[in-house]
Each structure stands twice: as C-alpha cells, then as structure tokens.
Amino acid sequence: DAGVIQSPRHEVTEMGQEVTLRCKPISGHNSLFWYRQTMMRGLELLIYFNNNVPIDDSGMPEDRFSAKMPNASFSTLKIQPSEPRDSAVYFCASRSRTSGDNEQFFGPGTRLTVL
Amino acid sequence: AQSVTQPDIHITVSEGASLELRCNYSYGATPYLFWYVQSPGQGLQLLLKYFSGDTLVQGIKGFEAEFKRSQSSFNLRKPSVHWSDAAEYFCAVGLDDMRFGAGTRLTVKP
C-alpha cells in the first residue's frame, strides 16, 4: 500500500490566492482527518470525516477554510483567500473504523507558504 | 476536554544512554494513548499505543511506554538511544478527536 498520499508537497502562493490541498487516504480506510502544524500552535485537528461525512469541523479556523470529501478515496482542503498566517504544514491522516486497529496513518504533509 | 502535556520541550541525551519522555493527559474515560515520532520534513509515524490491558506496551524501534492511571501519565522509554532516534516525539490522546501534546525534541549526542 502506498500509504496516505498528499499533494502538492510544497505550495508557495501569494496572499489572497486560493489554495487547494489534496489527500488520498489508504484504501479501505473510512475516517479521514486534516491537521495543521505550526511552531506556535503545534498539531491541531481541523476537521474529520467518517464515511465521507464531515463529523467535527470545530477546528477549522475561519470561514476561509473548507474541506470536502466527495468519495472514499479523495479529500480536499481549500483556503480562500489565503493569508500569511495560514503558512503551516498541513497533514492528512486516515484510519479504519472497522479493523479495530484504531491507528491514524499520516501522510507526508503539504508545506504551505503564503507570501 | 481531553488534553496532553509534554513538559519537556527539548531533551539531549548521549548515544547509548537511556531515555524517558514524559506525557501527562487529561481524559474523561479510559484513554486511547499514542506516541508518534516525526523526523524533520516527514509525517508522523506511530511508535506505540495503549487502549486497555497490560499497562506496559511495547512499540517499534525498541520503545516502550507505561500507562499509569493514578498519575495520568504515559511516559515513553528506551533503554539505549541510537543517533537515529533524534526526532520530535508527540504524545496524543483520543481517537477521532485526537489531541496532541506540544512535542519533545530529542537531540542525541555522539
């Protein structure tokens, strides 16, 4: 298995631009998580999905952030418009709710820089 | 609300020395506890986890952790540290709404 796949790995954009981060979970996993990691705030859970349905988006910082999961193999996190304070590493993770394993598997992350 | 505290921001140990990274948690019920390791520029890799049963859990790379309910702790240990263990270590509690500690950065001296 290729693990959780995230793209792009690095993104540099200018303030005000729209940014879309992508995630492909591990095949068969039915929970997907988006995290943000910064020096100041550490690792924060932004939103998670169970069976493609958003369950808890209380960690999404502002309305500028939105996430979708149109099918079991793909999710996006969009920031529109982006701001310099959105610069961070964004991680996607997935988990199987049915295997009993309970471990979240993390992707390599997308390093976002907003100028 | 669940939370995790890692009191040590940075720890330096000599190669071959023993290691203990501290983790204290706050959780309303029986906690799901994890230790993850993150190398620079990489994602997080699970070292070990505790859900129930034996309070001493073994993980990968020679790591172990002990769950102590009375102290609300889940400290990570390794008897002999290798240079390749230098990384950031995160303790986490919860399942879907997992909360991470701030992390402990481990430096290994030759």
Side-chain angles (χ1 to χ4, degrees):
Chain A
D1 197 319
V4 176
I5 298 173
Q6 292 187 246
S7 64
R9 292 294 310 276
H10 300 273
E11 176 81 34
V12 180
T13 190
E14 291 188 345
M15 182 174 62
Q17 296 298 305
E18 177 179 297
V19 175
T20 299
L21 311 181
R22 297 173 175 80
C23 175
K24 176 178 168 55
I26 291 173
S27 177
H29 283 191
N30 44 15
S31 290
L32 184 140
F33 307 81
W34 282 101
Y35 293 88
R36 179 173 67 176
Q37 184 178 38
T38 61
M39 288 293 291
M40 292 297 296
R41 301 176 66 89
L43 268 162
E44 304 172 276
L45 176 65
L46 300 178
I47 185 172
Y48 76 91
F49 297 82
N50 286 343
N51 297 315
N52 313 337
V53 176
I55 302 300
D56 183 358
D57 65 354
S58 59
M60 296 285 262
E62 299 172 34
D63 291 344
R64 299 183 296 105
F65 285 70
S66 62
K68 294 181 179 180
M69 192 164 186
N71 57 62
S73 59
F74 183 65
S75 176
T76 59
L77 178 67
K78 185 176 294 186
I79 308 172
Q80 166 64 13
S82 58
E83 297 182 3
R85 60 194 168 120
D86 301 330
S87 297
V89 180
Y90 291 82
F91 288 103
C92 176
S94 69
R95 175 169 84 88
S96 170
R97 298 178 62 82
T98 51
S99 73
D101 204 16
N102 293 315
E103 171 187 353
Q104 289 189 25
F105 291 81
F106 283 77
T110 295
R111 181 174 295 276
L112 173 65
T113 302
V114 183
L115 303 174
Chain B
Q2 59 204 40
S3 64
V4 176
T5 301
Q6 293 181 247
D8 305 305
I9 296 174
H10 184 205
I11 283 183
T12 299
V13 301
S14 297
E15 189 168 17
S18 64
L19 171 70
E20 182 169 30
L21 303 182
R22 296 183 291 165
C23 171
N24 294 98
Y25 67 89
S26 172
Y27 198 75
T30 302
Y32 294 89
L33 292 160
F34 305 83
W35 273 101
Y36 282 86
V37 61
Q38 183 181 31
S39 297
Q42 303 295 314
L44 280 74
Q45 180 185 22
L46 181 73
L47 286 175
L48 45 78
K49 59 190 176 185
Y50 172 79
F51 296 153
S52 64
D54 192 348
T55 56
L56 184 64
V57 292
Q58 302 297 321
I60 62 172
K61 304 184 180 185
F63 286 92
E64 68 177 25
E66 185 170 13
F67 170 61
K68 293 185 178 179
R69 184 185 298 276
S70 61
Q71 299 177 19
S72 298
S73 69
F74 188 57
N75 294 348
L76 181 71
R77 301 194 295 250
K78 186 169 184 178
S80 178
V81 169
H82 188 263
W83 64 267
S84 60
D85 294 324
E88 186 101 20
Y89 291 79
F90 293 92
C91 183
V93 64
L95 206 53
D96 285 335
D97 55 344
M98 195 157 65
R99 295 290 185 258
F100 285 83
T104 297
R105 184 161 61 93
L106 174 66
T107 298
V108 181
K109 291 190 304 183

